[in-house]
Structures are given as C-alpha cells and as structure tokens.
Amino acid sequence: MREKLEQIKKEALDAVKNVSLEAELDALRVKYLGKKGEITAILKQMGSLSAEERPVIGQLANGVRENIEKAISEKVKVIAEKALEARLESEKIDVTIPGTPINVGHKHPMSIVLDEAKDIFVGMGFSIAEGPEVELTKYDFDMMNIPEGHTVREWQDTFYITEDERVHLRCQTSPVQARVMESQKPPIRIISPGRVYRKDEVDATHSPMFHQIEGLVVDKGITMADLKGTLNAFFEKLYGEGTKTRFRPHHFPFTEPSCEVDVQCFMCGGTGCRTCKGEGWIELLGAGMVHPKVLAVCGIDPDVYSGFAFGMGLERLTMLRFGIDDMRLIFENDVRFLNQF
Ligand code: DAH
C-alpha cells in the first residue's frame, strides 16, 4: 500500500506538471482526490491493515493528498497567469499606429456659392427669408402682376397641384416678395434662396428643377442706382474686384423699369468665346424697380415707398464661379466631379 501511494503521488504530480488547461486539471482533481478517486480507494482498504500500520498509512495518504492538492492549486495559478498574459498580449493597442482615414464629404459647389452669396448679402444688411415650394397661384402670379392668360400660367409651363389651378410648384422665388411685403413693413431688405420648377427638358443649361436667389429692398427713396450699386458690389465680392456688369432693358410684369444683368465672361474677359457664345457677356439675372401695383397689392403705399428686386439663377452663378460648362454635372453627383471643389 505504501508503494501504491508513492506511485499515485508520482503519477499525479507528473500529470499535473504536463497539463495546460484548467479543464484537464479539474479532471485530475476528480481522478486522484475525488470521492471515487484513487486516494479514497486506498483509504477504503485501510480496514485490512493492522492497528500499528493504519495510522502510518493514514498519515502517508493524507500527505500524498496534500502534495497533490498543493501541486494542483499552484498549477491553477500558473494557468491563470498564462491566460492573463495571453489576453494582455492580444488586446495590446499600439497607439502610435496611424488610424484608418475616414472619408468625410465636403460642400457641394452649389452650397459653396450659396453660402458665399448669403455671407455677402448678410454683410450688406440683408436678412434671409423663406417661402414654400408648393405655392398658391395668388402669390406666384396674381400678386406679382402676372395676369390670367400670361404664358407662364399655361399648363404646359407650370406644374399644377390642383385642377382649379390655385396651387402649383412655384416657377420662381418672386412670390416670397409678396409674402414678405404682406407680413413686414418697410424698411425691407431680404434675400430668399430656394428651389423652383418649370416644365423644361434637361439639357446643358436647363433643368425642370433649379434654384434662384430672390432679392428685395423696399424703403423710402430707393432708386435704380441702389440696385446697380448693390449688384455691382455683390459681383465684385463673388467673382473678384474689377468684375464688370451690364444692365440691359427688359420686361418683367412685377418690375418697372426692368432689366437683365450680364456679367463679363470669366473665360475670355469679354472678347467673345465658346462659353459666352461669342457675346463676351453671360446673363445672370433679372431685376428692376418693384412695380407700384405690386407694392400696393401687398399693402405698401407706392407714393411713399419704392423698392428694387432681383432674381438670379444659383446654377448659373455656380457655373460661372467654377467654370462649369454643363448644368447636368451639378445634379449628377458624380464624386469624380464633386471632388474637384
Ligand atoms: N422671377 C424672374 C424669373 O424667374 C426673375 C426676376 C426678374 C426676379 C426681375 C425679380 C425681378 O425679382 O425683379 O425669370
């Protein structure tokens, strides 16, 4: 029995030395120290021993058990330490490795120009007004002195929402003028950027949806000189000092007198090229002195107040600012195009 215990001890200690997993160690604990384990089996046979031998073997068996228990608990610690080391190694973060770059977008060219335009006008004392894209015919046409029978009121030109032709997608930002004048008293100095809609086919210079920036100034003693001064200052800020403008007589129902404003071609500087179709000038907006009838219908006395207004195409402004020759590029959102700005 003595030899048997020595043998168990040797075997068990060897086995403990060789395992590397906690589960294997548990199995060894059961095998040697468990209720049905090898040491228990020896102790069960003690009855067959003599009275002198019994305590000696008992003591020996307890010693062997303690040895094995100690070896196992030491090994538990070793295994836990190794596991911790492995985890620390695998979770190690090298803070000096450069991060993965995140692709952030940037402003669309139209937003760049719109933000610049807003900054310039706000710097001149304008505030920003908004109006609905789904508009009442009353504001877009009636109050803007566009009478029944005018071509823009035709079904082939306008996106009507209702059969009775009282609601439609606005075809210009000018109705915001009427909305502002109805709710605000002079002095008024606003711009109103936004989307407008027309039944146009898509081509290099047309789109059924595009953007305008409307402007309106109403006060005592406002003249055409204020209009020219304001627009000239705007274009010099946007396109650079020395930018030349040209005011041509024109007709709009809501202004009298009316004009169209051209800016000298950015490509040829005015000598004539493909971009300006040989003209030397590029048309950018319509403008004029607010028609007395429009002031009156909006509740402002035209004998006391006068005003100027303008409406410019944001796509045109952007194309001219960056030398873009096809409007479709602005809407296609091809990143190879957008990345250039
Ligand atoms: N609404 C005009 C258009 O879409 C542009 C325009 C012309 C706006 C003259 C104005 C203006 O405010 O005074 O063609």
Side-chain angles (χ1 to χ4, degrees), residues 140 144 146 171-175 177 196 198 210 212-216 227 250-260 283 285-291 308-313:
D140 205 357
M144 295 316 288
I146 297 173
C171 59
Q172 51 186 358
T173 43
S174 299
Q177 290 186 31
V196 300
R198 293 192 192 163
F210 59 102
Q212 289 187 331
I213 303 176
E214 193 76 14
L216 173 71
L227 169 64
H250 199 74
H251 167 78
F252 293 105
F254 32 88
T255 40
E256 184 56 37
S258 305
C259 60
E260 275 189 331
E283 182 204 317
L285 63 108
M289 300 306 293
V290 181
H291 200 295
F308 70 76
F310 57 84
M312 49 182 117

